[in-house]
Amino acid sequence: MWRLLIAVLIAETADGYRVGVGRADVTGPPVEIAFMGYAVMKQRGSGIHLRQFSRAVVVEEAGRRLVLASVECGMMSHGVRVEVLRILGQKYGSLYTEDNVMLSGTHTHSAPGGYLMSLLFDLNTFGFVSETFSALVSGIVLSIERAHKDLAEGRISISHGELLGANINRSPTAYSQNPEAERARYVYDVDKTMVQLRFERPDGRIVGAFTWFAVHPVSMNNTNTLVSSDNLGVAALLLEESMNTGYLPGKGPFVGAFVSTNLGDVSANLAGPRCMASGLPCDINTSSCGDRDVCVAQGPGKDMFESTRIIGERIYSKALELLRAGEQGRRYLSGGLRVVHQYQDMPNYKALYWDPASSQEIPVHGCQPAMGYSFAAGTTDGPGTFPFSQNVVTANPLWDSIRNLIYGPSESQMACHYPKPIMLTTGEMTFPFEWQPSVVSTQLALVGDVALVCVPGEFTTMAGRRLRDALRQTLHFASNKNVLIVGLCNTYADYITTPEEYKVQRYEGASTIFGPYTLPLYLDIYRKLAQATLSPESRLARNEPPVDFFNDLLSLTTPVVFDFAGWSAHFGQVLLEPPETVLSGDTVLARFVGANPRNHLQHEGSYLTVERLQGETWRVVATDASWETQFHWTRISGILGTSEVEVRWSVPRQVLPGTYRINYLGHFKYMHGQVEPFVGTTRNFQVVGG
C-alpha cells in the first residue's frame, strides 16, 4: 500500500529531470600549512602531487533543485557552507539555499587545514587559515556555477556492484561487539558494494557520474607533505581521463566524483597493522606494540604512492564498469525531487532507544561534546603523537590531573559519556570560542526512489547499515542500496559508532562526541526527515543554526613577507637541467630558483607544465594535477626569503617519443606587497622509448 502511495505521489509530481555538472579547482596553499586529517603538526605542505577539485551536480525537477558538491578536502565546514551560500544568494537569489545545497568532503588526509572554525580541529594549523578557506569557497561556488550553466534535460540512472580487494575494517574488535544476529546478515565487516548515479542527456551522452564506495582516503600516510586527493582522487582523475579524451587532468566536460559514505572504520591499507620496529602483529584490541614501538597499517604497495595508485585504480576500474553497463545493469530513476534540511542541537536532542540489555524502550539524550582517551592514540592508519593506546575505558590519574589543568569535565558530563574516560571536555570549553560543534546540519533528499542522506560526520560500517535500514523502512524502499549516505556533509562532528562499538572505546568510539546514544539520536532525526519527504506539504521547524564565530577566529599563520632570488640569480633560473636524453619510465628532475607558492594558488592552472614539441607548437602534456608529476618547494633562507623548486616528471611508459621541456610558473612578492608572475623553462630534451 505504501509503495503504491509513493508511486502515485512520484507520478503526480514527475516533470522530468534537468541535470548539470561542473568541476573547479579548490587547491589550498600547498606549502607551510599543516594538513587536516592526521592532526600531526609537523605534517606541513611542501608541494603538490595531485590538485584538489570540487565536483558538483545540480538536479532540477518540477521547479525544485538539489545541489550536491563532492569536495576533495578533509571534511566540510559549516563556515565554508555559510559563505558558499552567501555568494550563491548574491548571484541567484533564493534559488540555492541551506535547504537544497549539500556539500560533502571526500576526506583526503593530505590537504591543507585551517578552515573548520572549531578550535580543536584547527589547532594543528595554529588557527584559521584564510587562504584555505577562500580556496575552498571560491572553487565550490565555481563548480556549482558551472553545473548551473550546464543544466539541461537529462536522465539519471542507478547501478551497483561488488568490489573486493579495496578496503578492510581497521577496528574489527569494535565491529565484533555488534549483535551476532545482526553481523550474520552481512558477508563482510565493511561494505563492499559500490553504488553509482549516472547522469546523461536524452541522446545517451554521459555527462557525469557520482560514485559511492566506503574507504578512508589514507593511502598517503602522515609522513606525506605533498597536497594529494589520495585514492578517491586518483579514481576520479582516471574516470574523467577515460571519458574526456584529449583533455588534461581536471579538464573536460565529463565530471566524475567519488563521494564519501560510511567510511568511519574502513581503511585502504590492506596489509593491515604491524609493529614497525619488530614486524610483529599489533595487539588486536589496543593496536599497540609496547617498548616504544608503533602500530601502523600498510597499504598493498611498496610505498604510499604505489598504494594510492593501486587502490585508486581498483575503485576506478569498478566505477568504469558500472558506468559502461548496459540497460540491463542499471535502472533509470523517475519521479519527484524533495529536499529537507534541519539544524539539530545534539546535546539537547531526545529520543527513544530500544535497549537490548533491558529489552525495552528507554529515553536517551545527547551529551555535550567530549573526546576520549583513545582519541589521542590515533588510528592504525595514523597513530597519535602521545603514548596512548586504543580501547581505553579506564581513566589515568596522571593524565587526568594534566587534563584538569586545562579544563576538567563535570560530573554530569562524565556520567553522560560513560564508559568513555574523557580526555577533552570540548563541549564545556568555550574559551576563546567553540571547540567542537554542538549544533549540526542534517539533510535528506529524495530523487525518485533514491535517498541521499547528508550526515555531519563519519558513520562506521554498522552505524551506516543501521541508518540505511531505518530509512529503507521509513521510505518503504525495496532495497537499502537506494539509500546513499553522503558523508562528512555540511558540518563535521566527528564519528558515529553503534552503542555496542562505543563501549569498547577504540578511536572511533572515543571520537563519537555526543555520547553513547549518538547513533540512536541520528536515526530518530533522519526518520523524521524521511517522513517529511513523503509529505509534500510538510514544513519542518526552522531550528536555530550554529553560532557565528567569524569575528572570534584566531590565526597564527604568518603571511608571505617577500621573496628574494639571491644576489646573482633571477626567479625561474634553472639550477638543475634535465638530461639531454631520457627513457620512458625514467624520472626527470629539474630545479629552479623559486618563490613562495602561497603568492598565487594557480587555480584552474598549474605551477608546472611538461610540454612536447608538436611541429612548431609546444603542447602541454602534464600539469601538477597529473599523477606522474610532483612539485616540491624548499625554503632556503627564511630571513632572506630565498627558496628553490624541484619538478619531478616520471615519464610514462606509453609516452610519445619526441622533444620535451619543463616549465615552472611562479609568482614572487616584493617587500611592499606587489606580486609579479615569472616563468622558468628548462632546455629541450629528448624522450625515447625504454
Side-chain angles (χ1 to χ4, degrees), residues 160-179:
H160 53 80
E162 187 178 77
L163 172 61
L164 304 180
N167 60 0
I168 61 171
N169 195 306
R170 72 183 186 193
S171 284
T173 56
Y175 178 88
S176 69
Q177 300 303 305
N178 295 304

Side-chain angles (χ1 to χ4, degrees), residues 557-611:
T557 300
T558 56
V560 179
V561 179
F562 69 95
D563 294 285
F564 180 50
W567 302 113
S568 58
H570 62 270
F571 291 108
Q573 179 178 330
V574 182
L575 301 175
L576 175 66
E577 293 278 11
E580 292 184 358
T581 303
V582 300
L583 302 176
S584 61
D586 287 351
T587 297
V588 180
L589 302 182
R591 194 172 301 121
F592 304 84
V593 174
N596 197 310
R598 288 171 57 197
N599 293 326
H600 194 289
L601 299 185
Q602 300 284 26
H603 280 166
E604 303 295 305
S606 176
Y607 289 108
L608 67 90
T609 58
V610 179
E611 297 179 324

Side-chain angles (χ1 to χ4, degrees), residues 194-207:
M194 177 180 286
V195 183
Q196 184 180 91
L197 294 181
R198 190 177 83 176
F199 309 103
E200 61 186 79
R201 298 299 177 215
D203 62 3
R205 180 169 60 91
I206 303 171
V207 297

Side-chain angles (χ1 to χ4, degrees), residues 387-407:
F388 288 92
S389 61
Q390 299 191 59
N391 194 215
V392 175
V393 293
T394 303
N396 180 295
L398 174 61
W399 283 106
D400 276 358
S401 63
I402 295 172
R403 173 203 65 192
N404 292 341
L405 292 175
I406 303 171
Y407 201 105

